[in-house]
Amino acid sequence: MENNTSLQQQLLEAGVHFGHLKKKWNPKMLPYIFAEKKGIHIIDLNKTVEGLQETAAALKSIAKSGKKIMFVATKKQAKEIVSDCAKRVNMPYVTERWLGGMLTNFNTVRKSVKKMQSIEKMLNDGSIDNLTKKERLTLTRDKDKMEKVLGGIAQISRVPAAIFLVDIGHEHIALAEAKRLNITTFGMVDTNCDPNKIDFAIPANDDATKSIAIIANYITAAIAEGLSERQAEKDEDDSSSDAEESAEAKAARFEQKVDGSEDRNRRGGGKGVAAQPKRRVPGPAAGGRKPAGK
């Protein structure tokens, strides 16, 4: 209870409770609205804490399973915050223009990413120096454009398992693509949006920098915790497998010793029954007489 109270205080100080003007509200946000003050809706922070904790627990579980979570925030005040959070946990992110089909037409987008990476490779190994000055300039400009839009998703080879959005109204194209592919959706929902369009809604002010920062940092910490638990389990499995291998090696060495001693016993080198000496048949004595009748 104390932790929730402390979190509520932090959210209050960050201005998470400030919604939009009453005339801009979405009636479906009614369960998340606490009151109205000077024509502005006030979000119920109890609902915010509840939604934030549910979101954090779900994202932690996804991260622990080894799946990717994409961060999407193309609003000016959210770009830097979200990109820093995504980089901290090595997750894909989109903070510039959302390209239509970035999820639903992922294979085509991957081709653009590979082209960007090939140009980058040419720049690094010096092979671009063999081209003309105009060609080098064109390739460099293309690479900069693509890196600006696609740099955050360059390291993923498949569609992410979940997507986190800041302002689901502003990112409606990304949300529609994610729903079409049955990708689990998480996001900050202000009083002018429909919370039913998203799987896990966090009722919060999605315009203030401080509000975005506290929500993004909270879920990033949960993702980081899930990743650390995954790594710990992996290390534990590796150590246990090493212990099993050493036990098996000892058993193998023991079996080799037993087999070696049995082989020696078979050759008569052990303590088994001694071999019987061969019986000597007496022959004619040297220089003696031959038997009669011969």
Side-chain angles (χ1 to χ4, degrees):
M1 186 66 183
E2 293 179 1
N3 292 334
N4 286 352
T5 304
S6 175
L7 180 58
Q8 276 191 19
Q9 186 63 31
Q10 292 174 20
L11 296 173
L12 185 66
E13 292 172 359
V16 176
H17 59 295
F18 290 119
H20 280 271
L21 293 171
K22 182 182 177 181
K23 62 182 180 180
K24 293 184 178 181
W25 82 309
N26 189 311
K28 293 182 181 179
M29 279 294 291
L30 183 61
Y32 303 102
I33 294 174
F34 176 71
E36 177 195 340
K37 188 175 182 181
K38 296 181 180 179
I40 296 174
H41 278 134
I42 305 299
I43 296 170
D44 187 351
L45 289 182
N46 289 318
K47 300 288 187 180
T48 303
V49 170
E50 185 180 333
L52 185 56
Q53 290 177 341
E54 287 179 0
T55 297
L59 289 175
K60 177 183 174 181
S61 177
I62 293 171
K64 189 175 179 180
S65 67
K67 296 176 182 177
K68 291 293 184 180
I69 301 157
M70 180 182 282
F71 288 68
V72 181
T74 58
K75 296 174 74 168
K76 184 178 179 180
Q77 59 269 45
K79 288 181 181 181
E80 187 176 350
I81 297 167
V82 171
S83 62
D84 289 344
C85 288
K87 290 174 184 176
R88 203 186 314 158
V89 289
N90 195 27
M91 292 294 176
Y93 62 92
V94 177
T95 53
E96 294 298 326
R97 184 172 63 90
W98 177 270
L99 295 177
M102 192 172 281
L103 293 177
T104 53
N105 198 13
F106 189 73
N107 291 333
T108 303
V109 174
R110 281 298 302 168
K111 290 178 183 178
S112 299
V113 171
K114 288 178 180 177
K115 181 181 178 182
M116 177 187 72
Q117 292 172 338
S118 65
I119 297 172
E120 190 173 357
K121 185 178 179 181
M122 291 173 67
L123 288 169
N124 292 333
D125 61 18
S127 58
I128 199 171
D129 296 334
N130 299 327
L131 303 176
T132 63
K133 185 177 180 181
K134 185 177 181 180
E135 288 173 333
R136 289 199 304 269
L137 186 61
T138 303
L139 284 176
T140 304
R141 285 176 176 171
D142 289 344
K143 184 246 179 187
D144 291 340
K145 284 181 182 178
M146 287 187 288
E147 189 170 13
K148 188 176 183 181
V149 179
L150 303 172
I153 62 169
Q155 302 305 319
I156 60 171
S157 57
R158 63 183 65 182
V159 174
I163 184 170
F164 173 76
L165 307 159
V166 175
D167 192 343
I168 64 172
H170 190 265
E171 311 297 347
H172 64 279
I173 299 175
L175 178 60
E177 290 188 25
K179 297 299 287 182
R180 184 176 177 183
L181 297 175
N182 293 324
I183 295 172
T184 308
T185 53
F186 303 81
M188 295 175 65
V189 183
D190 213 330
T191 56
N192 64 334
C193 297
D194 181 1
N196 298 329
K197 289 183 178 181
I198 201 163
D199 296 322
F200 290 83
I202 306 171
N205 179 358
D206 58 18
D207 294 312
T209 303
K210 288 184 178 179
S211 176
I212 296 169
I214 193 170
I215 298 294
N217 285 320
Y218 188 91
I219 65 165
T220 302
I223 293 170
E225 189 177 347
L227 292 173
S228 63
E229 287 182 7
R230 174 178 171 79
Q231 186 61 41
E233 287 181 0
K234 188 176 179 182
D235 293 341
E236 187 178 347
D237 290 341
D238 290 342
S239 61
S240 62
S241 62
D242 290 342
E244 288 176 2
E245 286 178 4
S246 62
E248 290 175 358
K250 288 180 180 179
R253 285 197 299 270
F254 179 75
E255 288 177 1
Q256 287 175 358
K257 288 181 180 180
V258 172
D259 293 342
S261 63
E262 288 179 355
D263 290 341
R264 286 194 297 272
N265 287 338
R266 291 194 197 100
R267 293 194 297 266
K271 294 183 179 180
V273 178
Q276 296 292 333
K278 291 183 178 180
R279 188 176 180 182
R280 186 175 179 181
V281 178
R289 291 167 58 187
K290 292 182 179 181
K294 295 283 186 177

